[in-house]
Amino acid sequence: MAERIEEHMMQIALKGLRVFGHHGVFDFERQNGQEFVIDVDLTLTDEAAARAAATDDVAETVHYGEMAEQIAAIVAGEPVNLIETLAKRISDALTEDPKIASAGVTVHKPHAPIPLQFEDVSVTWTAVRYDVPDESELA
């Protein structure tokens, strides 16, 4: 009989988080501020996904309410010139949680100062964590 191997992948998505911030290259963007829209796609580690499903305990997963608050604080916080930088800041903060295997962060700037009609401008930053064996495991 073949050995059964099971992998667990759990994804958590937060879409359309609207936060007012003061990011941009132009002085008027920093002075007046504008709304930014954030989308996040997380993948939990196999271990975290299995524990969360088995225990039914919010402490074993990513609390999306707390995650939204964390993201909002970053967007409303220290201004940056580029939404690329903002997306990376958010991703870096999220991937500090060891339960997160990957994080895709999209920052939308629907009111970007473009003198043409457009629907949206966005940047996506994706970070993937890999377990790297330490030297003792390689010997």
Side-chain angles (χ1 to χ4, degrees), residues 86-109:
L86 185 58
K88 184 178 184 309
R89 274 190 186 172
I90 295 167
S91 176
D92 287 349
L94 295 175
T95 54
E96 286 181 9
D97 185 334
K99 294 185 290 280
I100 297 174
S102 68
V105 176
T106 301
V107 175
H108 301 265
K109 190 174 180 179

Side-chain angles (χ1 to χ4, degrees), residues 20-36:
F20 197 83
H22 293 268
H23 310 287
V25 174
F26 299 111
D27 289 340
F28 68 87
E29 291 181 286
R30 291 195 171 220
Q31 290 169 0
N32 301 334
Q34 62 187 291
E35 182 180 70
F36 294 84

Side-chain angles (χ1 to χ4, degrees), residues 115-129:
L116 298 166
Q117 188 172 5
F118 70 99
E119 187 174 316
D120 190 22
V121 172
S122 67
V123 169
T124 300
W125 180 273
T126 302
V128 179
R129 182 194 334 258

Side-chain angles (χ1 to χ4, degrees), residues 10 12 44-63 97 99-100:
M10 185 177 297
I12 297 173
L44 297 185
T45 64
D46 291 347
E47 297 81 17
R51 277 194 314 273
T55 64
D56 197 31
D57 183 353
V58 70
E60 298 296 342
T61 187
V62 174
H63 188 298
D97 185 334
K99 294 185 290 280
I100 297 174

